[in-house]
Every structure is written in C-alpha cells, then in structure tokens.
Amino acid sequence: MREVTSCSTNIKIQLYKKLLLLSNSVRVDSGCRMLYEQPNYSGLQYFLRRRDYANHQQWMGLSGSICSCRLIPHGPHTSSHRIRIYEREDCRGQMVEITEDCSSLHDRFHLSEIHSYNMLEGSWVLYELPNYQGRQHLLRPGDYRRCLDWGAADARVGSLRRAVELY
C-alpha cells in the first residue's frame, strides 16, 4: 500500500498495488481527483469521485499506471457551474451556455464538435463520447480557444459533466 498525499494535504488517495502491471486499485477518501498516466499532469486523464475503484477498468483506465494526480477544488466558491461552448475556435459561432451535466451534446444541442469553451464557474470534465465514455479532459475556469488548449487531438466531444463530489 502506498498513500499519496502530495496532491493535497487534506484529501488522500490510497493506491493498493499487488503488481503494478497486473492489478491496481484506488480509494478516493474525499473530494474529486483527476489522475494522469504521465508525469506533470499530462497523458490520458481519469476523473475520480469519492469511492473505491477495484481496478483501472472501473475508472475507464487503459492501464493501472498513474504518474500524477490533481485535486479538483470544490466548496462554497465552486458550488455553481457554468460553461459556454462554441461551435468554432476563438469563442466564435453558435454559443450555448450549460449549467448541468449533459450526457449527449449531439442529442441535446445537435453538436458533435466543440471548438472552444469559456469556463465561467466550476470545473468540468469533457468526454469524447456520449454517456460519459471515452477520453476525458479536465477544464478549469478560463478560456480554451482551440482543442489543443485542453489537450485534445480534435474537437469531438460527446458529453460533459460538472466535476463535483456525489454523496
């Protein structure tokens, strides 16, 4: 067992490893985290809420290898969530403002590509596919003018959800 506290002094993630390449479980004791497969918050990302994850498939991981993690702040200053999505780069074109989770951007807004974002309040997790599946990307408040700004290879986005802890 290895307890990781460098991500935050208040929130703990415990990594239980039998064999690094064969088995990896994670317990998030409180809060929300984004795990990264590469050092320095790079590579594939995985959003985790408070609970036990018996293996990497439960957090939709392609492997059990985790090299960095980031606390996703929440609390009174992040209790509301608001994001503006744009059909074109540089926050141009059709704009939609969203305040709730959306399991299918195509079904709800007839959009399958989002080329820029204005994150007004809270943190959000973007998913490549509908129903919160596929590659994940954490967006914190600020402007994302093109898909490379949030680390994606293309503008395909199927769903998005607020990065909040559920009880």
Side-chain angles (χ1 to χ4, degrees), residues 28-158:
V28 179
D29 288 328
S30 63
C32 298
R33 299 291 179 142
M34 188 60 81
L35 301 183
Y36 299 83
E37 285 193 343
Q38 301 297 319
N40 300 317
Y41 313 112
S42 62
L44 296 176
Q45 304 176 36
Y46 306 107
F47 176 65
L48 277 65
R49 291 185 168 121
R50 181 178 58 161
R51 67 172 262 212
D52 290 333
Y53 298 85
N55 56 54
H56 63 274
Q57 288 94 1
Q58 287 188 340
W59 73 71
M60 295 185 287
L62 299 178
S63 76
S65 176
I66 300 300
C67 293
S68 54
C69 67
R70 181 184 307 270
L71 167 68
I72 301 172
H74 69 283
H77 61 284
T78 58
S79 61
S80 63
H81 289 73
R82 202 162 50 112
I83 179 175
R84 289 183 181 156
I85 61 175
Y86 298 86
E87 67 177 344
R88 295 175 45 202
E89 289 185 349
D90 295 318
C91 299
R92 294 179 300 142
Q94 178 186 349
M95 183 275 292
V96 175
E97 187 168 298
I98 301 173
T99 58
E100 297 292 327
D101 297 352
C102 181
S103 63
S104 176
L105 289 166
H106 184 266
D107 289 351
R108 188 164 170 199
F109 302 110
H110 306 289
L111 296 170
S112 56
E113 289 190 347
I114 310 292
H115 288 271
S116 54
Y117 297 89
N118 178 247
M119 305 298 298
L120 301 169
E121 297 177 69
S123 295
W124 293 76
V125 180
L126 306 181
Y127 295 83
E128 180 181 41
L129 302 172
N131 299 312
Y132 315 113
Q133 300 292 312
R135 293 181 189 259
Q136 304 170 32
H137 300 280
L138 174 64
L139 297 183
R140 297 183 294 172
D143 289 337
Y144 297 83
R145 299 198 168 279
R146 56 195 47 81
C147 60
L148 293 176
D149 292 349
W150 65 84
D154 59 44
R156 185 173 56 165
V157 178

